[in-house]
Amino acid sequence: MTEQSGFFSDFARNNRIAFLGGSLILALGMTAGSVALARGMVSMKRADREVTVRGVAQRNVTANRASWSVGYSESAYTLADALAAVDRDTTMIRTYLAKHSFKGEQTTPSSASISVSDEYINGKTTGRKVYSVSRAIGFDTENVAGVGAIEANKDELAQAGLVVDSTNASYEYTELDKVKPEMIAAATKDARRAAEKFANDSGSSVGGIKTATQGYFSVSSRESGSSDGDYGGSSTASSPDQRVRVVTTIDYYLD
């Protein structure tokens, strides 16, 4: 009987230890699960609280390259006369450009474009042929100020008796890569300020960044304010006085 009593006593004691151990493990598991669930709820709550803001950075720059072109044409009843008239125009334009330090091969005209058409007067053909010859001169240069001068004073050609078909001046800033890092940083700071203002007004605080999107860099003439384009290592505008602009969109968590 003594041996049996000892056996049953040990058995009961072992069962109690196993039960207590199992209960402890279950309690620990439930606690860990509760903590994980609580963290998940906090994370879900945080994900529901966010704000989207835009940061803007602008910088005034001056073009470091320029392009200029002129198109002109003459018409006559013979091809020889039309060609001679265009040659006179070419000489006049090149003399004008040389006055502003543009000369030599830089101002060599394009090949002549020739067309022939019937002459009409009051809707009726005269039976005569008209020969038209057109040419163009164009060049790129780092002399930005010189291009501005020839464009500003092109009326001198008209005063000399030459009426051109068209002229065009464009200006290019080729050093966007130099200003991009600082401008992106400035746009990001501007976005952060906007987020903090929103958070303060709503009784929140700004957390980490959820997503961020950098917009395109655009370049515009300062006086016009309209964008002429981006968008890589260089951009072109209609004035040498330009403005570079970038907009960054950022989603912040709110705590």
Side-chain angles (χ1 to χ4, degrees):
M1 292 295 291
T2 303
E3 291 181 358
Q4 287 183 341
S5 298
F7 171 79
F8 286 114
S9 176
D10 291 341
F11 179 77
R13 185 169 59 255
N14 290 338
N15 281 346
R16 284 198 299 272
I17 292 173
F19 175 76
L20 290 174
S23 298
L24 178 60
I25 292 172
L26 178 62
L28 290 174
M30 292 178 65
T31 301
S34 298
V35 171
L37 178 61
R39 287 178 178 173
M41 292 177 66
V42 170
S43 178
M44 290 175 62
K45 182 179 179 182
R46 186 186 188 199
D48 290 336
R49 289 168 53 78
E50 60 186 63
V51 61
T52 300
V53 292
R54 288 182 174 84
V56 180
Q58 297 187 131
R59 176 173 294 192
N60 290 337
V61 297
T62 301
N64 59 322
R65 288 195 64 81
S67 300
W68 190 82
S69 63
V70 57
Y72 52 103
S73 61
E74 294 286 357
S75 298
Y77 291 122
T78 68
L79 178 57
D81 288 343
L83 286 169
V86 165
D87 285 342
R88 288 193 298 270
D89 294 347
T90 298
T91 299
M92 190 180 301
I93 293 171
R94 298 188 76 185
T95 299
Y96 170 73
L97 293 175
K99 177 182 174 182
H100 294 280
S101 302
F102 298 102
K103 53 189 175 181
E105 185 178 350
Q106 186 176 40
T107 61
T108 300
S110 64
S111 300
S113 176
I114 302 171
S115 63
V116 184
S117 60
D118 294 321
E119 181 184 51
Y120 284 85
I121 297 178
N122 296 327
K124 296 181 180 181
T125 180
T126 64
R128 305 181 70 175
K129 297 292 185 181
V130 176
Y131 295 84
S132 298
V133 178
S134 59
R135 268 187 162 168
I137 294 175
F139 54 85
D140 298 326
T141 178
E142 294 181 355
N143 185 358
V144 175
V147 168
I150 60 176
E151 183 67 10
N153 297 290
K154 62 186 179 183
D155 285 349
E156 291 180 17
L157 295 172
Q159 293 168 0
L162 172 61
V163 179
V164 300
D165 296 334
S166 64
T167 64
N168 180 66
S170 61
Y171 303 89
E172 184 179 19
Y173 179 68
T174 65
E175 299 179 341
L176 272 179
D177 287 342
K178 290 184 178 181
V179 301
K180 277 184 175 182
E182 291 183 2
M183 291 190 65
I184 292 172
T188 302
K189 288 181 180 179
D190 187 56
R192 180 81 184 189
R193 284 192 293 268
E196 289 174 347
K197 177 64 168 60
F198 179 89
N200 289 336
D201 292 344
S202 61
S204 306
S205 61
V206 179
I209 294 176
K210 180 182 179 182
T211 60
T213 303
Q214 176 196 315
Y216 286 113
F217 278 79
S218 62
V219 177
S220 62
S221 300
R222 287 182 223 166
E223 66 274 14
S224 68
S226 60
S227 175
D228 290 282
D230 162 74
Y231 316 102
S234 65
S235 293
T236 302
S238 55
S239 167
D241 299 320
Q242 301 175 9
R243 179 173 291 115
V244 182
R245 185 174 188 267
V246 65
V247 178
T248 297
T249 302
I250 301 178
D251 294 326
Y252 285 100
Y253 287 112
L254 293 179
D255 296 330

